[in-house]
Amino acid sequence: MPELPEVETIKETLKQFVINKTISDVAVYWPTIIKRPEDAEQFKSLLPGQSIVDIHRRGKFLLFELDDAILVSHLRMEGKYSVHPSREPVTKHTHVIFSFSNGEELRYNDVRKFGTMHLFKKGDELTNKPLNQLGPDPFDETFTTDYLYKKLKKTERVIKSVLLDQSIVAGLGNIYVDETLFKANIHPLRKANKLKKKEAAAIWEAAIVTLREAITQGGTTIRSYVNSQGDMGMFQQELFVYGQENEPCKTCGKPIVKMKIGGRGTHVCVSCQKMK
DNA sequence: GTCTTTGTTTACAC
DNA sequence: CGTGTAAACAAAGA
């Protein structure tokens, strides 16, 4: 479940292994991961000879900047990247391999095969799906309390669903939305357009603080997340509500309740997070 | 076989 | 057509 802090951590750990490496060959064992170009054979043919110039992050997407292209990669639930010598055996969940001219390989591993890859000519990625659907990153200067408050005003949806909407703000997923709303003392079922400006400001602040702290902890490891060096995140120790069903609230001691909102498991302290 | 998991896309009712 | 909700979808493990 890599969300923004996990993808940020993956980006930083992966950088040291792949920048300036030149792709010599590409193998695709599960073509449905490749979304653009539609034909995986064409995808493969476009990459050899290109070097990895840099890696960026946009929301939950990893962006591999190549000499003349951008590879946009989404890890969905369980996608992972790792670098190995080519002689090392692959696992049954390795679906894409980028071979480098130095004998190493960047491997994409994904137990669920839900991840996606889109390849663009440089510049085209911003005006096409999936990146053109995204709202600002939480740390972008355009993501302000005013921006958030105006967006919340416009919708009848509950706040939980709005914060999961990547076109509002890009990078929050189920873990960090639940944690953000707990920190802001807002019940996830509150209607977005009924929230006061002060409450929007509290959500903004809570999101920024939670994400920043999670990044410094290297992300959250719930099921299987590790960074590209194989290290677990540590933020799970800081979780107040996510995955804490029936555990006592760290603030008030009442048991954390799990409910379904918009089809998503949602964790809430009904004592601390008021419906008002 | 059924159910759960998540982020995103698609279908559809209003 | 915009909006909101629900279902579909990707696949595997419990």
Side-chain angles (χ1 to χ4, degrees), chain A residues 228-246:
Chain A
S228 292
Q229 295 186 84
D231 304 323
M232 287 174 43
M234 297 301 288
F235 192 72
Q236 61 276 13
Q237 298 172 7
E238 322 275 333
L239 296 175
F240 284 89
V241 286
Y242 188 89
Q244 310 299 306
E245 183 181 11
N246 297 328

Side-chain angles (χ1 to χ4, degrees), chain A residues 11-200:
Chain A
K11 183 196 78 181
E12 288 303 319
T13 53
L14 201 50
K15 265 188 181 182
Q16 58 194 102
F17 296 117
V18 303
I19 285 191
N20 289 328
K21 302 282 166 68
T22 303
I23 298 171
S24 56
D25 196 17
V26 179
V28 178
Y29 300 110
W30 197 260
T32 51
I33 289 172
I34 311 301
K35 302 299 184 187
R36 179 187 166 121
E38 279 183 37
D39 179 13
E41 287 303 315
Q42 203 183 338
F43 174 89
K44 283 163 60 178
S45 73
L46 291 167
L47 293 170
Q50 300 227 34
S51 298
I52 299 180
V53 176
D54 204 353
I55 311 180
H56 312 276
R57 179 191 57 73
R58 179 79 172 88
K60 302 170 194 169
F61 290 87
L62 268 180
L63 281 63
F64 294 87
E65 181 184 357
L66 310 175
D67 291 327
D68 193 31
I70 301 275
L71 175 61
V72 178
S73 172
H74 197 301
L75 305 171
R76 292 291 181 97
M77 283 182 74
E78 304 213 41
K80 293 169 188 58
Y81 281 102
S82 52
V83 179
H84 307 264
S86 58
R87 58 176 60 248
E88 227 167 86
V90 300
T91 76
K92 66 169 176 174
H93 297 307
T94 300
H95 307 306
V96 183
I97 297 181
F98 304 89
S99 300
F100 295 132
S101 53
N102 72 346
E104 293 179 330
E105 296 179 346
L106 172 65
R107 295 177 182 171
Y108 179 72
N109 188 287
D110 189 341
V111 172
R112 304 250 180 257
K113 301 176 178 165
F114 289 0
T116 61
M117 295 184 193
H118 292 75
L119 185 61
F120 295 95
K121 257 183 66 180
K122 244 183 217 184
D124 286 355
E125 77 279 7
L126 299 173
T127 53
N128 286 281
K129 284 209 280 194
L131 296 187
N132 68 350
Q133 312 283 65
L134 298 182
D137 258 70
F139 302 124
D140 194 281
E141 58 184 15
T142 63
F143 184 65
T144 61
T145 57
D146 271 353
Y147 165 88
L148 182 61
Y149 184 58
K150 280 178 185 149
K151 286 288 187 186
L152 297 186
K153 273 288 175 211
K154 283 185 194 162
T155 180
E156 298 273 345
R157 295 140 81 201
V158 298
I159 186 64
K160 161 93 184 192
S161 301
V162 176
L163 293 179
L164 280 173
D165 183 344
Q166 302 296 296
S167 73
I168 304 287
V169 57
L172 292 171
N174 215 22
I175 297 173
Y176 295 108
V177 167
D178 283 3
E179 292 299 313
T180 292
L181 289 174
F182 175 82
K183 192 183 280 288
N185 283 319
I186 307 280
H187 196 289
L189 282 173
R190 296 280 300 279
K191 296 276 188 182
N193 60 0
K194 298 277 178 55
L195 291 166
K196 303 276 189 289
K197 188 157 190 183
K198 269 195 170 176
E199 294 174 318

